[in-house]
Amino acid sequence: MAKIVVVTSGKGGVGKTTTTAALGAALARSGQNVVVVDFDVGLRNLDLIMGVERRVVFDLINVIQDEATLNQALIRDKRCDTLSILPASQTRDKDALTSDGVARVMKELRERFDWILCDSPAGIERGARLAMHHADYAVIVTNPEVSSVRDSDRIIGMLDSQTARAQKGETIEKHLLVTRYDPSRAARGEMLSVEDVVGILSLPLLGVIPESEDVLKASNVGAPVTFASPESAPAIAYFEAVERLEGKDIPVTIPTEKRGLFDRIFKKRGS
Amino acid sequence: MSFLDSFFSRKRSDTSSNVARDRLQILLAHEREAQEGGESTLLRTLHAEILEVLARHVSIDEDNVQIKLDRGQKCSKLEIDIQVPQSGLRAQVSTMTPNEDL
Ligand SMILES: Nc1ncnc2c1ncn2[C@@H]1O[C@H](COP(=O)(O)OP(=O)(O)OP(=O)(O)O)[C@@H](O)[C@H]1O
Ligand SMILES: [Mg+2]
């Protein structure tokens, strides 16, 4: 049975696109058929993070408006052939996303993929609502910071009331992913701790992704962090999150940078 | 501040993350209620009905009736401020209410 997962947050810039790419790549690496879908019409970025920006010809809006078939719009990842991306349109506006059109595309994708990961735009408007509408499962991306937690709470309310599942009286599985976490700052009481965030939002935890420069480096070269540096702390955390997404009950750890002081000095000299 | 200073001078409860957590807990309790229509509906109804009663006797503007709420963890303070322009009359009522009753 295909699963539709929405990666959402309310607040902008918390790591939704980074997460969609990293989870999608990790799932696909285990041989499952995965598509990542960009719902951020007008501000598409998933193509850049996935490194396929030069191969985009048709997009989600073209498919919705019958200007292209799904096959024409889907781009297959060159590093992993079970991973595809459906880009958003950069030029059209959000009104071109019709709810009937989105429903049709989601139905077609369900027939062809095991996992459909939807990268939601920020906000609580039409684009965000359509991205979550067909989801079976929601990953709520939250930074340990007051405005992000508040917006997540708002999004959780919308997931419970406005999605197709909610309207049919079914539940949508919701999991929290805390990203850009700095364990040392949390320990000093300068940052909300994971326990605080989980306590406030009372959702099960999918994972904790540490703040790391490897994420920026991966985006520079156009690769999901789980492909670009699979041994890095954020990648390990994303791989663990994927295991939980698949239903495995494993304890949540917070991987930290293993590089010690000596490594660092050594590296500087070497380079 | 050295590590030892910070270790000794700061109680666990004084850290900024604890302030953040407490503020969020209060705010979200109210916002969740508001999404279900509770609190904000009450305030809107109060505002409309006070205006209605006053308008039977004096000519009054919407802005002459102010309703304010200060949300606390256990209690909320409700303030109602009414000004009747022509007469120069002004009434202020303020009350503390435990949150369950609001
Ligand atoms: N774990 C992390 N460590 C360091 N930087 C991160 C991490 N996660 C995300 N970032 C950085 O944060 C920025 C925003 O990330 P991203 O684009 O994934 O957020 P978004 O939620 O999709 O934003 P938008 O709401 O604009 O779509 C990027 O510069 C990204 O590199
Ligand atoms: Mg994004």
Side-chain angles (χ1 to χ4, degrees), chain B residues 55-69:
Chain B
R56 282 186 218 148
H57 307 284
V58 286
S59 89
I60 195 157
D61 199 70
E62 239 182 77
D63 291 341
N64 294 127
V65 175
Q66 300 280 349
I67 298 191
K68 287 187 189 138
L69 188 66

Side-chain angles (χ1 to χ4, degrees), chain A residues 254-267:
Chain A
I254 307 172
T256 46
E257 313 280 297
K258 284 189 205 71
R259 245 177 280 127
L261 184 63
F262 282 110
D263 280 350
R264 228 169 248 212
I265 293 167
F266 198 71
K267 251 199 187 154

Side-chain angles (χ1 to χ4, degrees), chain A residues 172-186:
Chain A
I172 167 163
E173 232 182 291
K174 302 180 295 289
H175 284 250
L176 190 65
L177 188 74
V178 177
T179 63
R180 310 203 67 166
Y181 191 65
D182 184 335
S184 60
R185 295 189 66 192

